[in-house]
Amino acid sequence: MKDKVIFDTSFLYNKSASSFFGNEEELKKIEKVADIIIPKIVFEELENKYSRSFGQEKEKFLKTILPNIIEHNINEVVVENRIKEIIDKETIAYQIIELTDFSVLPEIKKLALKKMPPFEPNDHTDKGFKDAYIYFTILEYLKNVPNKYVFVCVKDERFKLALRQHCNIIIIENYEQFKEQSMSQFLNDYFIEKVNAELVEVEIKKEHIIAFWHNIDNNQNVLIKVEDEEYIVEVDSGEIINRTQPKLYSSNIEQLVLSSNFGRTHSSIEQLTPFVNYFSDDEIRKILEASFSNEQIKWIIEKEDVKEFIGKLYIARRWLVKDGSAVFLKKIFK
C-alpha cells in the first residue's frame, strides 16, 4: 500500500503559472513512491489564484499594449480557457478529496470563535477558515485510509499546531522530509528483527537499509546493503513476504534490453519473470523503452510470453514511458 501525501496550497502554487502545480520536480519524486492527494478546496484555490493572475495580466496587456496597435475587446480573451489548458497539460497523477460531512461546521465555528489552531490567535483577523476546512477534510479522509496515517505537506505554523494533535498525521514541508520520515518505518527495532530473522546469513543494522520503493503490486521493496552484498525484501503491511538479491536478475535485464535475437529475448524474459516484483521504476522504464527501440523485442511483442511480461509492467507503470514508446505500447495494450 502506497503512502498518502496531502498537499496545502503553499507547496502547489506556481507563481509563474507556467504549469498548474509548482515544485514539479519534488512532486515527481514523491509520485514515484506515494499517492498525491489534494483537497478540493486547495485545487479550487489554485484555480482562483491563477484566475486573478491571468486576469491582471490580460487587463494590463490589453489596456497598455493592444490599444496602440488595434482596437480589441478585452472580454474576447477567456481566462478560464487558459486555466483549463494548464490543468489539462499537468502530468502529475493526483486524487481529489473533499469534505462531505458538514456536521463538522459547528466545530469549525467553535475553533474560529476561540481562536484555536488553525485559526490565528489575533483578535483582529479571522484567517484560518480555509485551513480549518482542509483540516476537517483530512480527518474525514483518514477514516477511510487502510494504513490509517497520512503525510501532510504544509508550511503554515498555526496549521501545523492543529495537525500535531493527531499521531497518525505526519507533517512535512518537502520531499527530503518525506523521504526521511517514510524511511523511518523500516528503521525501528521490530522491523530490523524481522529482517534478521529472514536474512540469517548476515547481520542487518539500521545503516544497512538504504532505500525503498513500491513494486507493481504496490508492496514495498526495501533495499539492504551489507558490505558488497545487496538484498531486497518485499514488505506487505509491515510483514516480509519475500526476498531476493539484485545480482540474481540485474544482468538479465541488460541482456533483454540489448537483446540481439529472438531467442535471447525469450530466454531473458523467462529468467526475469520470477523477479518482476523486485524491479525498480528505472529498471521498468528501461525494459518498456527497449520494447519499442529494440526490434528484437518489438517484432515479437505479440508473442504470448513477451506480451504477458511487457504488459504486466506497462499496465502497472504506463506513465514511465513517453513519446514513441508510449504511443506504441498504448496501441499494443489498449
Side-chain angles (χ1 to χ4, degrees):
M1 181 64 64
K2 279 190 173 183
D3 287 328
K4 316 289 183 184
V5 185
I6 302 175
F7 290 88
D8 188 23
T9 313
S10 58
F11 185 90
L12 297 174
Y13 180 56
N14 182 1
K15 290 183 179 180
S16 70
S18 56
S19 61
F20 193 70
F21 296 141
N23 287 305
E24 280 204 309
E25 289 306 311
E26 292 218 344
L27 281 173
K28 287 176 182 177
K29 292 177 183 177
I30 293 173
E31 181 187 31
K32 290 181 178 180
V33 293
D35 291 325
I36 292 175
I37 312 294
I38 303 174
K40 187 176 182 181
I41 192 172
V42 168
F43 196 90
E44 291 172 339
E45 185 181 19
L46 289 173
E47 289 181 298
N48 279 282
K49 278 179 174 285
Y50 296 137
S51 179
R52 291 191 294 271
S53 176
F54 294 149
Q56 290 166 1
E57 289 178 6
K58 169 182 128 176
E59 186 174 358
K60 181 179 178 181
F61 178 72
L62 294 176
K63 286 185 176 180
T64 62
I65 300 177
L66 280 181
N68 298 324
I69 306 173
I70 55 173
E71 290 185 3
H72 194 93
N73 183 352
I74 193 171
N75 293 320
E76 289 180 7
V77 179
V78 182
V79 170
E80 288 75 12
N81 290 349
R82 171 63 179 140
I83 295 172
K84 184 178 185 303
E85 180 184 322
I86 63 172
I87 291 175
D88 291 343
K89 287 183 177 179
E90 186 55 63
T91 59
I92 300 294
Y94 59 90
Q95 175 188 346
I96 298 290
I97 59 172
E98 61 180 310
L99 183 67
T100 61
D101 180 9
F102 294 106
S103 66
V104 301
L105 291 177
E107 186 66 20
I108 294 178
K109 175 183 175 182
K110 176 182 174 183
L111 294 177
L113 292 174
K114 293 190 174 184
K115 302 294 183 181
M116 297 173 65
F119 290 93
E120 294 289 336
N122 190 333
D123 281 338
H124 301 294
T125 178
D126 285 324
K127 178 181 179 293
F129 174 78
K130 178 185 68 69
D131 288 343
Y133 198 97
I134 297 172
Y135 173 64
F136 282 100
T137 302
I138 292 170
L139 296 186
E140 180 178 326
Y141 176 70
L142 263 171
K143 296 176 183 177
N144 299 308
V145 175
N147 51 4
K148 296 298 181 183
Y149 75 90
V150 295
F151 293 85
V152 178
C153 186
V154 60
K155 293 183 179 179
D156 185 271
E157 293 300 324
R158 197 68 179 165
F159 193 6
K160 288 180 182 178
L161 284 177
L163 296 171
R164 285 193 182 107
Q165 300 176 70
H166 305 274
C167 62
N168 52 351
I169 293 177
I170 304 168
I171 301 168
I172 58 170
E173 290 191 11
N174 50 46
Y175 169 72
E176 285 303 319
Q177 290 184 8
F178 166 73
K179 182 180 177 183
E180 180 181 333
Q181 294 280 3
S182 59
M183 276 293 291
S184 65
Q185 64 187 299
F186 305 116
L187 302 178
N188 59 72
D189 292 339
Y190 173 78
F191 185 76
I192 298 295
E193 184 180 334
K194 288 279 187 182
V195 172
N196 276 308
E198 181 70 32
L199 303 177
V200 294
E201 62 270 32
V202 291
E203 182 181 357
I204 304 302
K205 298 179 180 179
K206 292 180 181 180
E207 57 266 30
H208 296 143
I209 296 177
I210 59 175
F212 85 97
W213 63 91
H214 286 83
N215 64 25
I216 60 174
D217 283 342
N218 269 336
N219 291 332
Q220 296 158 314
N221 284 345
V222 182
L223 179 62
I224 299 164
K225 187 171 184 179
V226 185
E227 297 179 352
D228 295 329
E229 289 290 333
E230 290 187 341
Y231 303 86
I232 297 174
V233 293
E234 183 180 5
V235 180
D236 181 17
S237 301
E239 298 299 323
I240 297 172
I241 61 172
N242 223 326
R243 57 169 285 192
T244 194
Q245 289 189 267
K247 68 182 182 181
L248 298 178
Y249 63 84
S250 56
S251 62
N252 295 120
I253 291 178
E254 292 303 313
Q255 288 177 7
L256 174 63
V257 169
L258 300 175
S259 177
S260 57
N261 57 69
F262 298 153
R264 174 60 60 85
T265 298
H266 286 297
S267 174
S268 297
I269 285 175
E270 182 181 5
Q271 293 170 330
L272 285 170
T273 296
F275 299 99
V276 290
N277 274 17
Y278 299 106
F279 296 171
S280 67
D281 279 1
D282 286 340
E283 290 169 329
I284 293 172
R285 182 187 293 106
K286 287 177 66 175
I287 293 170
L288 293 179
E289 289 177 348
S291 70
F292 173 68
S293 62
N294 186 334
E295 294 183 345
Q296 302 304 316
I297 307 173
K298 184 177 182 180
W299 286 353
I300 60 171
I301 197 167
E302 294 283 4
K303 295 292 184 179
E304 184 177 356
D305 60 330
V306 182
K307 190 170 186 177
E308 182 178 353
F309 177 79
I310 300 295
K312 188 172 185 179
L313 300 178
Y314 173 72
I315 290 168
R317 293 291 189 275
R318 66 186 69 200
W319 62 85
L320 294 177
V321 287
K322 308 293 181 185
D323 304 324
S325 301
V327 174
F328 171 71
L329 290 171
K330 183 177 181 179
K331 182 179 179 180
I332 297 295
F333 299 105
K334 60 185 177 181

